[in-house]
Amino acid sequence: MNKFLITALFPALLLACAVDAPPVYKERDAPIEARVEDLLARMTVEEKVMQTVQRTYGKNMNPNNVERETRAVDPLTGSLIYRSPSPAYRNRVQREAVERSRLGIPLLFGFDVIHGFRVIFPVPLAQSCSWNVDLVRASCAVAAREAKLSGVDWTFSPMIDVARDARWGRVVEGYGEDPHANAVYGAAAVRGYQGDDLAGDHSIAACLKHYVGYSLSDGGRDYHYSDVSPQALWETFMPPYEAGVRAGAATVMSAFNDISGVPASANPYTLTTVLKQRWGHDGFVVSDWGSIQNLVPQGVAADEREACLQAFTAGVEMDMVDDIYARHLPALVEEGRVSIARLDEAVRRVLRVKFRLGLFDRPYVEELPDDERFLRPGDVALARRLAVESMVLLENKDDLLPLAAGAARRLAVIGPLARDSVALLGSWAGHGEASDACSLLDGLRARFGGEVTHARGCDHDGEDTTGFAAARRVASRADVVVLCLGERAAWSGENASRASLALPAIQERLAAEVRRAGKPVVLVVSAGRPLDLARVAPLAGAVVMIWQPGIEGGRALADILSGDENPSGRLSITFPRGAAQQPAYYNQRQPARPGSGGYQDLPAGPLYPFAHGLSYTRYEYGEIALSSDRVTRDGTITASVEVRNAGDRPGDETVFWFVSDPVASISRPVKELKHFEKRGIPAGGTRRYTFEIVPSRDLSFPGPDGLRRLEPGVFHLRVKDRVATFSLVD
Ligand code: GLC
């Protein structure tokens, strides 16, 4: 065909191609950014605004967030909080959006998958005591699979708020008091949820929350003022978020709290300057439940329209359930107070995550029956493993534990937690069923056989002592008493702050009553926070903190008490001597007068310190060896320490490496965790643990601007009571 003819026919050819070729955004093989831009260019303002809107679907299970239940779904809606476990239900709703809307943009279904979907793992605070990062990541991958197959594409997890005030109910949801631990676990959770490919069959989008400083709520009271100094912001609360962004977290949730007066959900510095410009996060920010509307009572917005303007321009791309963006963004765009460019940027981010999830190409999930989606034996076994490794042996006087079968023919299992399976699941238990859980009593009966008697003794709280007599009778007939005390599931979690960390008085009285039977007592504590055990621990020969261990809690406890498993949990959060001693976290700044200034009416130091935990074997630590006693900025130092298992049974030992910076341009914490490693050591065996110190990462510290400073000088490396000193030289 000659050139003339081609030139003449070219427009027709182009049109012919254009008529047949689907739009770029529907092209599976087109680059995601091209698909995003193509779709964005086709959208009306209304369609764009609706992508910034999240509503709910299904029965609300969070008593703190009461809202009208939406039954009819606007097909243009960006996202739904989806509370049903049914894939078919989700597909029906998704079909509405994909087939009934002009551009067929799929919905994004989110849900709080916090420590499991149907297989409920130990609460995150418990998981962080395992120091087994691979297990934590694996548990998130299991949760992601169950969630994805049930119609959920996005979890509002991990919660990585460094928490030091045990009065705050949400301490249960994070990974303890240390910034490094929250960073490592948070990044592992992101990788567990998102897998290697966000569009994977069992991948869901993660959400780093609650960005940022939420755990500093004054007095541990939820939703209260948070005075977050710039130094604390960068030294303590930001590191887990930076690690989560580096791990590729698709989304971030802005918190309820203000940051020294500027609410986290309307804070341009954290939401845009840092998160997007400095860290390069290219996903999107969703507000917390109604946290945009909360800007009005927080006193920074005169009305909802102002709240809308502030949150949207600060960098919150999606509005969780208060419909403020739906109601006010169109007018703000019309008035030019919100630019089209800013609207496009927000919608671009939401669409990017949807494309990366593969929602445009595969908007529906396979509709498998429950027994193919949930509770696979391997997943349940993983829950048991993680529960075992999360439990912390706090006391073991005269090696009362493990209970050798012979000496513990007759067990008396007493207390309000013995049969409370709901408590084992803890808060934010997703679609977990108490009927899936093995109670402490059932777990002990299954393992110990023989004579395992039970008496409740008392309720979780209240004044009723009528059960004491039966408890004492059962105790007097037993060889050993397993006393199960602690919190109800609802006593921790959101809006569940407590002024006291003590067990309810009735439980302490039960402990004293049972002690009077004169038999050895193993105290088992289940709670979503550190408790003040100062009065009850002395009554027991052994104390085991099981937290809220999930559906396998009873079997995991039996594994530990029987010695089938050697406890390896170590505390990720300090146990203070009551609320009065808070804050008691380990990495406090070096005080002006070390060793003095404490309370006259309390012993100095916490009840159980960070990293505390006993084993059934004995570990002997060698001295720290350093590859050099000096290091340059670009150099490295390799530190190592030998640990020998001097006992007669294998065990898993975690070595914690702390760095102290005794003299710097600002006062630094007494020590900071920089590395940890858990390894198995056979009886009589030795393992050499190493830590490669990289100055820019391990010896630097952030200033109030977040920029890291690396200052020459002396540093101390600490492992247990061992100290090795070296210098950073220019
Ligand atoms: C709640 C919580 C948040 C949760 C969200 C959706 O208020 O603060 O952690 O993800 O609402 O349930």
Side-chain angles (χ1 to χ4, degrees):
M1 187 181 289
N2 69 33
K3 265 195 300 187
F4 169 75
L5 199 53
I6 287 174
T7 308
L9 291 177
F10 185 70
L13 283 172
L14 200 65
L15 182 65
C17 292
V19 166
D20 296 346
V24 170
Y25 80 93
K26 292 192 175 188
E27 281 279 352
R28 282 170 180 264
D29 301 331
I32 283 180
E33 291 309 307
R35 300 179 76 179
V36 168
E37 294 309 320
D38 176 66
L39 176 53
L40 199 55
R42 298 170 187 269
M43 294 170 76
T44 64
V45 168
E46 186 208 6
E47 289 165 335
K48 291 176 182 176
V49 167
M50 286 306 290
Q51 285 302 305
T52 72
V53 173
Q54 178 180 64
R55 290 175 175 151
T56 66
Y57 204 78
K59 187 176 173 322
N60 184 4
M61 296 182 291
N62 182 346
N64 302 300
N65 297 327
V66 182
E67 106 275 9
R68 270 178 306 98
E69 189 174 331
T70 26
R71 306 292 302 169
V73 176
D74 178 330
L76 296 181
T77 309
S79 171
L80 289 177
I81 296 183
Y82 181 65
R83 297 191 180 99
S84 160
S86 159
Y89 200 23
R90 167 257 168 77
N91 285 342
R92 275 203 304 280
V93 174
Q94 185 70 298
R95 199 157 278 115
E96 290 282 294
V98 171
E99 296 175 7
R100 265 190 45 207
S101 70
R102 183 175 75 88
L103 294 168
I105 302 174
L107 285 154
L108 178 60
F109 292 82
F111 185 56
D112 289 287
V113 186
I114 308 300
H115 52 105
F117 187 86
R118 174 68 187 271
V119 169
I120 301 303
F121 294 92
V123 291
L125 183 58
Q127 294 187 27
S128 65
C129 293
S130 74
W131 303 98
N132 190 329
V133 180
D134 291 341
L135 273 189
V136 169
R137 175 174 174 168
S139 73
C140 293
V142 166
R145 176 189 167 278
E146 291 193 334
K148 189 63 170 282
L149 293 176
S150 303
V152 170
D153 316 297
W154 175 28
T155 176
F156 307 129
S157 173
M159 191 272 217
I160 48 177
D161 300 322
V162 174
R164 295 162 159 171
D165 189 337
R167 294 171 296 179
W168 188 50
R170 306 199 75 167
V171 67
V172 66
E173 294 177 52
Y175 297 110
E177 71 187 32
D178 181 74
H180 179 69
N182 274 276
V184 171
Y185 285 122
V190 167
R191 296 188 178 101
Y193 289 130
Q194 299 190 168
D196 299 329
D197 174 6
L198 200 51
D201 290 347
H202 301 146
S203 298
I204 59 177
C207 182
L208 305 174
K209 73 180 187 183
H210 307 80
Y211 185 61
V212 61
Y214 182 23
S215 55
L216 269 186
S217 288
D218 253 3
R221 292 183 298 274
D222 216 344
Y223 315 131
H224 273 63
Y225 175 72
S226 307
D227 195 4
V228 191
S229 72
Q231 188 60 34
L233 180 71
W234 284 103
E235 202 166 79
T236 302
F237 301 103
M238 284 298 215
Y241 287 93
E242 184 170 8
V245 168
R246 300 274 174 254
T251 67
V252 176
M253 181 185 292
S254 65
F256 291 122
N257 61 292
D258 61 278
I259 302 172
S260 301
V262 181
S265 294
N267 195 306
Y269 174 68
T270 53
L271 293 166
T272 296
T273 307
V274 174
L275 181 65
K276 298 177 174 99
Q277 294 170 355
R278 187 181 295 191
W279 292 346
H281 187 249
D282 66 357
F284 69 85
V285 174
V286 62
S287 71
D288 200 341
W289 186 288
S291 65
I292 296 173
Q293 190 286 329
N294 294 167
L295 299 175
V296 176
Q298 273 172 308
V300 294
D303 54 35
E304 291 190 351
R305 175 162 298 194
E306 280 311 304
C308 176
L309 179 63
Q310 288 186 26
F312 194 74
T313 50
V316 177
E317 280 79 35
M318 186 176 283
D319 169 11
M320 183 183 280
V321 309
D322 57 23
D323 252 21
I324 283 181
Y325 282 6
R327 281 198 300 276
H328 299 290
L329 265 183
L332 288 167
V333 172
E334 182 64 29
E335 295 158 15
R337 299 179 71 193
V338 167
S339 68
I340 285 290
R342 171 58 193 141
L343 179 59
D344 284 355
E345 176 54 16
V347 176
R348 179 175 291 118
R349 289 171 175 270
V350 174
L351 295 178
R352 180 179 292 139
V353 172
K354 291 187 174 183
F355 276 111
R356 286 178 175 168
L357 277 164
L359 284 180
F360 282 84
D361 306 322
R362 295 186 303 165
Y364 309 114
V365 293
E366 189 182 0
E367 298 177 12
L368 296 175
D370 285 14
D371 60 4
E372 289 182 35
R373 287 186 282 137
F374 298 143
L375 299 168
R376 292 185 308 178
D379 299 342
V380 174
L382 185 73
R384 180 170 179 173
R385 178 81 241 143
L386 188 48
V388 163
E389 297 205 27
S390 302
M391 294 181 176
V392 185
L393 179 59
L394 297 174
E395 307 253 11
N396 193 21
K397 298 161 194 155
D398 306 326
D399 293 338
L400 172 61
L401 292 178
L403 299 175
R409 277 190 310 284
R410 295 174 302 173
L411 279 190
V413 182
I414 297 171
L417 275 293
R419 307 182 75 161
D420 185 347
S421 296
V422 173
L424 299 186
L425 303 189
S427 60
W428 298 104
H431 290 286
E433 305 275 353
S435 56
D436 294 338
C438 175
S439 72
L440 303 184
L441 177 62
D442 288 348
L444 292 168
R445 278 191 161 141
R447 174 61 183 83
F448 283 90
E451 187 185 330
V452 178
T453 53
H454 167 64
R456 183 174 164 82
C458 67
D459 198 351
H460 299 72
D461 55 4
E463 311 288 328
D464 180 2
T465 61
T466 53
F468 279 21
R472 189 160 167 183
R473 227 180 0 263
V474 160
S476 61
R477 292 193 201 117
D479 301 307
V480 178
V481 173
V482 179
L483 182 59
C484 306
L485 305 179
E487 292 185 321
R488 288 185 189 282
W491 292 0
S492 61
E494 183 176 357
N495 197 13
S497 300
R498 291 181 60 202
S500 163
L501 301 180
L503 285 164
I506 192 76
Q507 293 192 39
E508 292 194 354
R509 289 176 59 190
L510 175 65
E513 183 72 20
V514 163
R515 187 70 191 91
R516 278 194 277 276
K519 298 298 174 65
V521 173
V522 175
L523 174 61
V524 173
V525 182
S526 173
R529 56 163 50 87
L531 293 182
D532 169 10
L533 302 176
R535 286 166 303 286
V536 288
L539 303 176
V543 181
V544 184
M545 185 67 193
I546 67 169
W547 305 104
Q548 287 151 346
I551 58 172
E552 285 296 282
R555 277 182 275 272
L557 176 64
D559 290 341
I560 294 285
L561 298 194
S562 66
D564 292 347
E565 292 288 351
N566 187 356
S568 61
R570 300 288 183 269
L571 292 182
S572 64
I573 190 165
T574 300
F575 273 54
R577 297 174 188 278
Q581 194 181 49
Q582 299 223 123
Y585 56 93
Y586 85 89
N587 48 349
Q588 308 210 10
R589 275 191 152 55
Q590 300 172 108
R593 295 188 176 187
S596 65
Y599 299 107
Q600 293 181 5
D601 51 353
L602 261 185
L607 193 61
Y608 303 112
F610 180 85
H612 172 72
L614 304 178
S615 167
Y616 293 153
T617 189
R618 197 163 34 84
Y619 299 106
E620 290 171 351
Y621 280 63
E623 293 305 319
I624 300 172
L626 294 178
S627 58
S628 168
D629 64 357
R630 59 186 52 219
V631 64
T632 58
R633 290 169 177 277
D634 302 327
T636 60
I637 281 189
T638 300
S640 64
V641 65
E642 275 201 351
V643 181
R644 190 169 89 84
N645 177 345
D648 57 4
R649 64 172 63 225
D652 296 323
E653 176 65 345
T654 301
V655 167
F656 297 88
W657 297 87
F658 297 94
V659 169
S660 300
D661 182 359
V663 180
S665 55
I666 59 170
S667 175
R668 308 285 296 106
V670 290
K671 62 181 183 178
E672 295 174 287
L673 181 66
K674 293 295 181 181
H675 180 60
F676 60 85
E677 183 186 3
K678 183 174 195 174
R679 297 177 67 182
I681 312 180
T686 297
R687 288 287 179 274
R688 175 171 290 278
Y689 293 70
T690 58
F691 169 33
E692 184 174 52
I693 297 170
V694 178
S696 59
R697 179 191 64 197
D698 303 317
L699 307 182
S700 66
F701 61 90
D705 55 6
L707 302 179
R708 298 193 72 83
R709 289 143 170 83
L710 182 58
E711 300 176 351
V714 170
F715 289 86
H716 301 307
L717 184 62
R718 300 176 186 280
V719 172
K720 290 268 188 191
D721 56 357
R722 272 59 174 176
V723 183
T725 300
F726 63 93
S727 300
L728 173 69
V729 296
D730 264 332

